[in-house]
Amino acid sequence: MFIVDYVKDVYGAMKSLLVGMNRTGYYFTHHKEIITEEYPDNRETLVLPERFRGEVVMAHDENNEHACTGCSACELACPNGTIKIINKFDISPEGKKKKAIDTFVYHLELCTMCGLCVEACPTAAINMANTFEHSVFNRGQLTKRLNKPDSKLKAGVE
Amino acid sequence: MSPATIIFYIISAFILVTGLLAVTTRKIFRASIWLLFSLIGIAALYFWMQLEFLAAVQIIVYVGGIVVLIIFSIFLTIKSGEEMPKPILIRSIFSALAVLFGTGFVVRIISLYTFKPISTTAFNLSVNQIGTQMLDTKDFGYLLPFELISILLLAAMIGCIVIALKSNDKEATTFQNSIQ
Amino acid sequence: MFSLESLTTLVQDWLNKTFPPTWALLIEFVIVGILAIALFAALGLVLVIMERKVAAWIQIRLGPNRVGPLGILQSTADTIKLIMKEGLTPDGADKFLFNLAPFIVMIVSMLILAPIGFAKGFHIWDINIGVLYVSAISSVSVIGILMAGWASNNKYSLLGAMRSGAQMVSYELSVGLSVLSIIVLTGSLNINDIVLSQQNGWWLFKAHIPAIISFVIFIIAITAETNRAPFDLSEAESELTAGFHTEYSGMKFALFFLSEYINIFIVCAIGATLFLGGWMPFHIGNWESFNHIMDYIPSFIWFFGKTFFMIFLIMWFRWTFPRLRVDQLLNLEWKYLLPISMVNLIVMTLVAIKGWHF
Ligand code: SF4
Ligand code: SF4
């Protein structure tokens, strides 16, 4: 029936509008839900969400060891050419030559924080950090070396 | 001169000047705007005479309805932004003559008519009275014209719907195709 | 008890005693003009900050919070900024009409203010066709918008103006019909009479279901009339940059912006007058003592309270609903609002004749 459909239409429309208004009305009255951070004012107490991507870092443990084998998978995965892996050859105690990382060059200014490098890394050597205050006066300061000086590959990581 | 008279002359001058501008301007959109001002001036004259109802109706019908329609149709024409070419001389001469004779004719009729001042008490028409008069069947009632006009409008509306209707049946489409 | 009526009579008496009548009238005009402009400025500032705060809270944000406590001086700062900006007139625009349009829109908003009763015995012009006057004058403002859109010589502006024209012309009908359904009950177009007829309860409650239906239609239609979201097709940012005022800057833009808010205030004031009793305190039938207590709240507080309630409703709509498409907009008006309000008007007439209302 035409009339029945019409009335149903109007009823359904009114109902869905009211559902929407109920939701926004709830937010309007519940100021506890507000998610705005007043950033420079709450710099001390600011807590960023876990998954926020600020920059790529390499984790080092207390023995100044990291998990990067220098395989260059991250360099290949990066769409922007942000990462440059420079390798060296270590001599192992048995006298064998072994490839190892010399310098992990990371150009922060080119990085789009896509996280593809982190996913590509087979040994989970790098991860995304939460830091976000990256402003500096000189562009050169944005080119970083991620492996700390004199750091070694963790034992057992292959 | 009393202030009321001064206001009357100001309003009349406004109507005349904007009316004149409406017919002399060479940009068509401006002409419609001047026409709008002229019509608003007439509404102001009604307000001056304290015929508020008439003034409001004047604004609704002419300004809100007719001028908006005119402006819309101007928008839909292509050359709405350009200046019109200057009219040819002989046409302007003849139109000036027509205006002159028309004015003379009207002035003559007005001067022949003797205006009797009616009672000076301001008439205060309530909306109730206007409404009753409008739908009255007795003397001076306007029911018949009112209904006639509504039938006319209904016919116009049905006509619009018929024109705007999408024709689904084959005959109409084949007919249209044959025309093309 | 404090009342604005005594104040106005005091001023009037004093003026009439000291000046000849014509001069007294002129001085009154000037006073009223200054008051109206002051009200406009204040309303503009208050409504803009209110809108931004409401928007923020609905979207779980804080909103403006830098200028002044809680950011309440933000709109003042914005106004100062706008005043100092240069008013550009684009090349190829029709200079005269381009500069005239914002003033037309503004003057129209100013004129509509005349018959509104702000408090008991406090209105600019107690005209006997009040409601009709408002709907008549408000139909002029569409011309200002069309003028602005055309004179800017910009396709966004022109499209915005066309849309806004079509929208205002079609939604005027349902506004008119829903207003009429209250007029049927009061039998008068005079705003003062309409308010007085709600002495024993507001029409929204007195005339129950048909009044509620026409209230809903009214509020939908005025949202469309004032070109606000979800009906803001004429200035849809994502499609038309800013619609008819794309080319305007500085104070001329501010006038458009201000007049939008003034128009909201005025239509909400009309709605509050028709459905919620204007400045009439909340009365219930014959509960004398209850009514008496309510009378202690000054009438202008009632008026502004109701008006701001309506404004809040409209803002709530704006920040909840997504924008309609043009065809949906016209469908809504011609297939739903108009037939429903026509049937509703007939029902209301029946209610009025049979006296089924309270
Ligand atoms: S986050 Fe993306 S852009 Fe940045 S270094 Fe990793 S892969 Fe390259
Ligand atoms: S960070 Fe991971 S992917 Fe990149 S070179 Fe080191 S081990 Fe390979």
Side-chain angles (χ1 to χ4, degrees):
Chain A
M1 266 284 281
F2 168 71
I3 290 289
V4 176
D5 284 349
Y6 188 85
V7 173
K8 259 190 204 152
D9 252 17
V10 173
Y11 175 76
M14 290 310 293
K15 205 177 137 198
S16 68
L17 291 185
L18 286 179
V19 167
M21 285 180 69
N22 182 25
R23 184 87 288 228
T24 46
Y26 171 81
Y27 283 137
F28 181 78
T29 43
H30 290 68
H31 292 190
K32 267 198 237 93
E33 307 252 355
I34 288 179
I35 51 173
T36 309
E37 300 282 357
E38 289 177 274
Y39 160 55
D41 297 345
N42 69 347
R43 194 147 172 251
E44 268 70 55
T45 55
L46 184 68
V47 183
L48 282 171
E50 185 84 341
R51 287 160 60 200
F52 177 78
R53 297 170 184 170
E55 81 182 296
V56 176
V57 292
M58 185 180 287
H60 289 71
D61 63 8
E62 61 276 12
N63 304 328
N64 205 11
E65 288 176 341
H66 55 75
C68 176
T69 56
C71 69
S72 302
C74 51
E75 186 178 349
L76 290 172
C78 179
N80 303 325
T82 309
I83 296 171
K84 183 94 192 87
I85 305 286
I86 301 168
N87 279 326
K88 62 180 178 191
F89 288 97
D90 277 349
I91 314 288
S92 63
E94 296 97 63
K96 268 194 210 155
K97 265 196 186 175
K98 191 166 182 283
K99 201 167 78 168
I101 184 98
D102 178 43
T103 317
F104 187 114
V105 185
Y106 171 59
H107 294 276
L108 179 57
E109 78 269 32
L110 298 179
C111 180
T112 52
M113 317 300 168
C114 63
L116 289 177
C117 51
V118 176
E119 273 171 42
C121 180
T123 54
I126 47 176
N127 54 307
M128 304 294 297
N130 271 345
T131 47
F132 62 97
E133 290 164 322
H134 293 313
S135 315
V136 283
F137 285 106
N138 189 346
R139 187 161 164 263
Q141 282 167 274
L142 291 172
T143 305
K144 297 184 178 178
R145 181 188 166 175
L146 289 194
N147 57 330
K148 288 191 187 148
D150 301 330
S151 58
K152 313 198 287 290
L153 181 63
K154 234 178 258 172
V157 177
E158 213 38 67
Chain B
M1 259 202 297
S2 70
T5 346
I6 296 174
I7 292 173
F8 171 76
Y9 281 118
I10 291 174
I11 295 173
S12 322
F14 179 78
I15 296 171
L16 289 177
V17 169
T18 48
L20 211 62
L21 281 170
V23 292
T24 51
T25 181
R26 302 229 305 280
K27 281 187 180 158
I28 189 160
F29 187 75
R30 281 211 187 171
S32 67
I33 296 298
W34 291 125
L35 175 68
L36 162 88
F37 281 128
S38 183
L39 293 169
I40 289 179
I42 292 171
L45 210 55
Y46 286 136
F47 272 120
W48 180 82
M49 291 190 265
Q50 297 193 327
L51 296 171
E52 283 97 359
F53 185 78
L54 207 55
V57 170
Q58 160 91 9
I59 290 180
I60 288 184
V61 172
Y62 284 99
V63 177
I66 290 180
V67 173
V68 171
L69 276 185
I70 291 176
I71 290 179
F72 259 85
S73 37
I74 289 174
F75 276 177
L76 296 174
T77 55
I78 305 163
K79 292 187 177 173
S80 57
E82 290 165 24
E83 279 203 2
M84 302 280 195
K86 251 198 159 74
I88 31 178
L89 185 67
I90 195 137
R91 205 183 283 165
S92 6
I93 291 175
F94 272 109
S95 39
L97 280 179
V99 169
L100 216 63
F101 283 122
T103 320
F105 185 61
V106 173
V107 168
R108 167 95 183 130
I109 288 177
I110 290 176
S111 65
L112 281 183
Y113 186 82
T114 44
F115 288 98
K116 292 188 262 349
I118 43 167
S119 62
T120 47
T121 51
F123 40 2
N124 194 9
L125 278 182
S126 76
V127 182
N128 275 343
Q129 277 169 289
I130 295 171
T132 334
Q133 187 83 47
M134 197 90 92
L135 295 180
D136 206 354
T137 47
K138 294 193 233 26
D139 278 357
F140 306 116
Y142 282 91
L143 184 63
L144 190 62
F146 194 81
E147 288 301 321
L148 278 181
I149 286 172
S150 64
I151 287 171
L152 183 73
L153 289 178
L154 185 68
M157 238 149 91
I158 292 174
C160 287
I161 293 171
V162 168
I163 290 172
L165 213 59
K166 268 187 220 150
S167 50
N168 281 335
D169 54 334
K170 257 192 197 142
E171 266 177 56
T173 41
T174 46
F175 177 64
Q176 276 172 357
N177 288 342
S178 68
I179 290 176
Q180 285 162 359
Chain C
M1 201 171 59
F2 174 74
S3 94
L4 289 168
E5 192 176 15
S6 53
L7 199 72
T8 48
T9 32
L10 204 76
V11 173
Q12 168 132 28
D13 286 347
W14 182 78
L15 280 174
N16 277 333
K17 254 186 282 168
T18 24
F19 297 101
T22 313
W23 281 108
L25 197 67
L26 271 183
I27 292 172
E28 272 171 26
F29 278 169
V30 173
I31 294 175
V32 167
I34 290 170
L35 281 182
I37 291 171
L39 176 76
F40 274 26
L43 273 180
L45 296 180
V46 171
L47 288 180
V48 171
I49 194 70
M50 173 175 164
E51 167 111 83
R52 294 182 62 176
K53 274 290 180 194
V54 170
W57 285 336
I58 281 180
Q59 298 173 340
I60 344 178
R61 292 185 288 117
L62 280 174
N65 57 3
R66 296 285 115 179
V67 192
L70 283 174
I72 49 170
L73 294 178
Q74 182 67 49
S75 46
T76 322
D78 288 346
T79 317
I80 293 170
K81 180 198 79 175
L82 278 174
I83 289 172
M84 293 198 295
K85 282 206 169 179
E86 181 187 1
L88 280 174
T89 309
D91 251 7
D94 191 328
K95 299 240 158 36
F96 173 69
L97 295 181
F98 183 82
N99 292 322
L100 183 66
F103 292 98
I104 292 219
V105 175
M106 200 65 221
I107 289 171
V108 166
S109 324
M110 249 176 172
L111 284 175
I112 311 178
L113 205 64
I116 290 172
F118 290 97
K120 195 169 183 217
F122 190 77
H123 35 62
I124 298 172
W125 187 14
D126 189 16
I127 180 172
N128 66 357
I129 51 154
V131 180
L132 183 67
Y133 171 89
V134 171
S135 56
I137 301 286
S138 66
S139 67
V140 180
S141 75
V142 60
I143 304 258
I145 288 174
L146 288 174
M147 213 192 260
W150 188 84
S152 302
N153 190 24
N154 174 325
K155 54 179 173 286
Y156 292 135
S157 306
L158 187 61
L159 277 175
M162 297 270 282
R163 282 186 184 185
S164 135
Q167 184 179 326
M168 282 165 114
V169 169
S170 40
Y171 276 80
E172 222 157 66
L173 284 171
S174 7
V175 174
L177 284 175
S178 51
V179 167
L180 263 186
S181 64
I182 296 297
I183 302 298
V184 164
L185 291 170
T186 60
S188 168
L189 292 170
N190 186 323
I191 286 191
N192 218 12
D193 290 352
I194 293 173
V195 173
L196 286 176
S197 71
Q198 309 185 49
Q199 186 96 50
N200 54 350
W202 305 342
W203 281 123
L204 186 61
F205 305 125
K206 271 205 298 183
H208 43 87
I209 298 164
I212 290 170
I213 293 175
S214 60
F215 181 71
V216 172
I217 290 173
F218 179 82
I219 204 159
I220 293 174
I222 57 170
T223 319
E225 274 254 314
T226 46
N227 282 329
R228 281 177 64 83
F231 303 99
D232 61 342
L233 294 117
S234 61
E235 41 198 284
E237 294 89 355
S238 47
E239 302 158 24
L240 298 176
T241 5
F244 61 89
H245 56 65
T246 306
E247 296 287 353
Y248 284 87
S249 59
M251 217 40 216
K252 279 180 265 172
F253 165 73
L255 283 183
F256 273 122
F257 198 60
L258 183 59
S259 78
E260 183 190 327
Y261 282 97
I262 300 298
N263 282 340
I264 294 163
F265 175 79
I266 289 169
V267 289
C268 288
I270 297 288
T273 308
L274 287 171
F275 295 97
L276 303 176
W279 48 258
M280 187 60 77
F282 184 61
H283 285 172
I284 299 179
N286 304 324
W287 298 13
E288 289 303 334
S289 48
F290 178 80
N291 294 349
H292 210 67
I293 293 168
M294 283 297 167
D295 282 339
Y296 273 103
I297 302 173
S299 52
F300 68 92
I301 289 185
W302 280 106
F303 173 77
F304 279 101
K306 290 168 192 175
T307 309
F308 272 85
F309 167 71
M310 297 272 293
I311 293 173
F312 173 70
L313 267 186
I314 284 184
M315 286 181 178
W316 193 354
F317 290 165
R318 170 163 185 179
W319 298 106
T320 305
F321 304 138
R323 184 185 305 133
L324 274 72
R325 242 177 17 229
V326 176
D327 59 326
Q328 291 168 336
L329 177 94
L330 294 177
N331 268 352
L332 175 66
E333 163 66 13
W334 296 102
K335 288 194 183 160
Y336 293 94
L337 293 190
L338 195 63
I340 293 175
S341 53
M342 275 175 170
V343 172
N344 191 48
L345 181 60
I346 294 173
V347 174
M348 191 63 118
T349 319
L350 211 66
V351 169
I353 292 173
K354 293 277 182 187
W356 284 336
H357 57 84
F358 301 112

